[in-house]
Amino acid sequence: MRGNKSFGLRLLSWIHSMLIFEGVFVLSAGILHMKGERLVLFLAQGLVLAVPLVLTDVLVKRCKSLVLFCLLGAVLVWVMGLVSGNGLVRWITVFICLFRCYVRLKQGEIRKRMRELPGEPGVSEAAAWLDVPDLLDEPKLLHGLLFVFIYLGLISLNRIDLMEVSFALLDAELCISLCYRYLRKLSEFTEKNRYVANLPVKAMRRTGMGIMGTGMILLFVCMLPAVIYQEEPLTKVRFDLSQMEEGGGGETYEDNIEPDYMMEELMRIKASAKETPAWMEAASKLVCVLMLVWVSYLAVKIVFSMVQRAAAAFSDEWEDEVVFLGKGGEEAGSGQKRTLKKERFFSADRKIRKLYKRTVRRKAAGNILGSETPLELEDKAGFYGAGGSQKSIDLLAAHKLYEKARYGKEECTKEDVKQYVHIFSNFDR
């Protein structure tokens, strides 16, 4: 999912995803041996997946909260399962929601990397986006292998009636992939060179669409014989497992009647061994319990850290942290002790900074460029033109509290948070 796409490209992506899910339904129908009206109704239920596919694509671009997206995704899964009454529809909807969420998280990580390295031109954006999975967002010819596997699976199941459907899905996927690739490259070319030598963008797009239409007609003509004859060489392949013979008769082993002296010795040692003292067993159990508690604590801490990073990546609102450099503009060596304070997730500093950003964004007139100082942001938000001198004094105190939370080495206290909230509650009145 690279950058903003036109509606035509997004529509091709949706059709591509629908073809993949319909192929899954075809293979499932072959496994369940469905025929007749039941088969037609089962395949028609796959078309319902267009609803979660489009909704999640729109929702993941609009929603900034990971928790809200997960809640809406859970509601969507429940509604799809209730409306369709099909377990496969419910599980594919779960897959769609998880895939969209994972792509958004990967994009947030890449944007964070690009902001950390502003000197590199976008951290070579074309290469960076390769880390993002594109199964549902960018049709590729390589995705046709999925339909090839479905086709081979139906052959092994001897479902000749469904092989024609899978072959039609494969043809449609190839056409969609070629059209998407062509339109994507044409759009990138026109956007890159539209200001070079007065390039006629509209005329080039019309010409490109004409070339694509001619190619589609030629492709249809090449596929027409297979549609007319409806004969595939692989349909004659049969897998008859009943004709396979068991190789090489099994050998007969005689029981070893000789006594096992080693086992007898081990049993004798076990019988003569002393019992473990009760205090030692209790100490061992206590150590095991303590180790279990410690491992559980580490696991919870790791999960909490992962959820925190995932929420920040999903919302694309990373904290405004500053990397302090040493003398000469170089980073401090690894042997030097870090003097920066370690901020907790529910710390007072974090609460003050979040309240500050929320107030500024709500009150600011115009766009925030991201390069403004705190005073410039406060001027845009109209802090110091809000009224009497007492408000100005209070807002100046709030500014100092933000600087303490943002740049100071000492941590803010709960009283600072209460004072900050009181100042801005009066400011909103």
Side-chain angles (χ1 to χ4, degrees), residues 45-62:
Q45 287 178 343
L47 302 177
V48 182
L49 291 171
V51 176
L53 191 67
V54 176
L55 284 180
T56 53
D57 189 22
V58 176
L59 182 63
V60 80
K61 291 179 173 60
R62 301 291 183 182

Side-chain angles (χ1 to χ4, degrees), residues 274-284:
K274 296 181 179 180
E275 294 184 359
T276 305
W279 67 268
M280 189 174 292
E281 290 184 357
S284 301

Side-chain angles (χ1 to χ4, degrees), residues 364-370 372 380:
N367 296 328
I368 297 177
L369 303 177
E372 298 94 338
K380 280 188 175 182

